[in-house]
Amino acid sequence: MSLSEDPELQPILLGLFLSMYLVTVLGNLLIILAVSSDSHLHTPMYFFLSNLSLAYIGFISTTVPKMLVNIQTQSRAISYVGCLTQMSFILIFGCMDDMLLTVMAYDRYVAICHPLQYSIIMNPHLCVFLVLMSLFFSLLESQIHNLIALYFTYFKDMEISNFFCQPSQVLSLVCFDTFTKNTVMYIVGAIYGFLPVLGIFSSYYKIVSSILRIPSSGGKYKAFSTCGSHLSVVCLFYGTAIGVYLASAVSHSPRKTTVFSVMYTVVTPMLNPFIYNLRNKDIKTSLKKLWSRST
């Protein structure tokens, strides 16, 4: 489904989403470059942040370039293989965002609640293991959806009520058995939605309990400031994800679903570098060093 049927809006939409895509890719690449080039940022928190930025680049690159081609060519068609491929990468990178945000919450919990043991607990081997496990679970979720889509009837000439192959809508098209479809959605939702959110809430519950025991207000502010950027990204990511789910499950309005999908797949990745650059002194300092070095 196109974002708008109005021919006069097509050039505006093309320019708008191309600009947002370039800003997202360049902004997240700057975070990766800043972390990799500054030895002071070679810590678990920034290691996870650079992987999150990489996942956001992959996430937005799965949907927006195809949408831009559709706007330019005035064609909304996508092949069967292309649809399943797009769905696979959306699930991989979307789940990676989900898992990495949970891992980053655990990292903040260890840093605030167990500061003396932080370097021992969050050692390089554990950090790499957590990222690899996030990738493994992302690939697993993608393969579950693909196997279901391939198991059921081959479909063609069907319309997806979104500007990309949204997994839940593809599942609705290929899976005529409501019980099977609902069972898969509930299981996947519990594993990849409820459990990560529970992990984040548990981490922040312990973080807040620990911070409230700090006697000085300055100490409390400093502890809270280390979590502010991550918490902002978490609220943005899950807020838009819940919006997409509610819009598709409750309202049954394609336009509302599309609006929340744009927020989820385009706006959230774009705002990630702004949130971390504006609120994080270390990232800003590293970027200033890079700029002065290049000039």
Side-chain angles (χ1 to χ4, degrees), residues 43-280:
T43 62
M45 181 178 77
Y46 292 110
F47 173 70
F48 296 134
L49 175 59
S50 59
N51 279 277
L52 181 68
S53 295
L54 188 62
Y56 273 135
I57 291 172
F59 192 46
I60 194 172
S61 297
T62 307
T63 56
V64 173
K66 173 61 178 170
M67 180 179 66
L68 295 175
V69 171
N70 291 348
I71 294 173
Q72 181 66 26
T73 60
Q74 296 296 304
S75 171
R76 293 175 288 170
I78 187 169
S79 67
Y80 175 73
V81 174
C83 185
L84 293 183
T85 303
Q86 188 184 59
M87 183 184 72
S88 298
F89 282 108
I90 287 169
L91 288 166
I92 290 169
F93 291 118
C95 186
M96 275 292 289
D97 295 337
D98 185 20
M99 294 294 168
L100 286 171
L101 287 172
T102 308
V103 169
M104 291 171 77
Y106 174 72
D107 172 72
R108 292 299 82 208
Y109 156 70
V110 176
I112 292 173
C113 299
H114 304 283
L116 299 179
Q117 298 173 302
Y118 178 72
S119 58
I120 298 172
I121 297 173
M122 300 302 296
N123 59 76
H125 295 291
L126 179 62
C127 293
V128 173
F129 173 76
L130 290 172
V131 171
L132 290 177
M133 286 303 295
S134 299
L135 179 60
F136 170 75
F137 281 112
S138 303
L139 291 170
L140 181 62
E141 183 188 20
S142 173
Q143 289 307 305
I144 290 171
H145 280 79
N146 271 339
L147 288 173
I148 294 168
L150 292 169
Y151 179 78
F152 287 93
T153 310
Y154 177 88
F155 63 98
K156 62 183 294 185
D157 298 331
M158 291 188 176
E159 183 176 313
I160 297 174
S161 301
N162 213 320
F163 65 92
F164 66 99
C165 293
Q166 187 182 351
S168 62
Q169 293 187 5
V170 174
L171 192 64
S172 298
L173 288 175
V174 301
C175 186
F176 299 105
D177 182 1
T178 307
F179 175 76
T180 304
K181 182 185 72 175
N182 290 338
T183 301
V184 171
M185 290 183 69
Y186 287 141
I187 292 174
V188 171
I191 296 173
Y192 295 97
F194 177 73
L195 292 179
V197 170
L198 182 64
I200 292 171
F201 270 113
S202 299
S203 297
Y204 272 101
Y205 172 77
K206 293 177 181 178
I207 287 170
V208 171
S209 299
S210 179
I211 289 175
L212 291 177
R213 290 196 294 267
I214 298 175
S216 66
S217 57
K220 290 179 180 177
Y221 174 78
K222 186 177 180 181
F224 270 122
S225 64
T226 62
C227 305
S229 299
H230 174 258
L231 203 54
S232 300
V233 174
V234 166
C235 293
L236 187 63
F237 180 83
Y238 284 105
T240 53
I242 292 169
V244 170
Y245 173 77
L246 291 177
S248 58
V250 179
S251 69
H252 301 290
S253 170
R255 289 298 169 192
K256 287 183 180 179
T257 304
T258 302
V259 169
F260 280 107
S261 296
V262 168
M263 292 290 295
Y264 179 60
T265 59
V266 182
V267 177
T268 301
M270 184 184 70
L271 291 180
N272 179 60
F274 289 102
I275 291 171
Y276 276 98
N277 288 346
L278 292 174
R279 296 181 62 91
N280 194 297

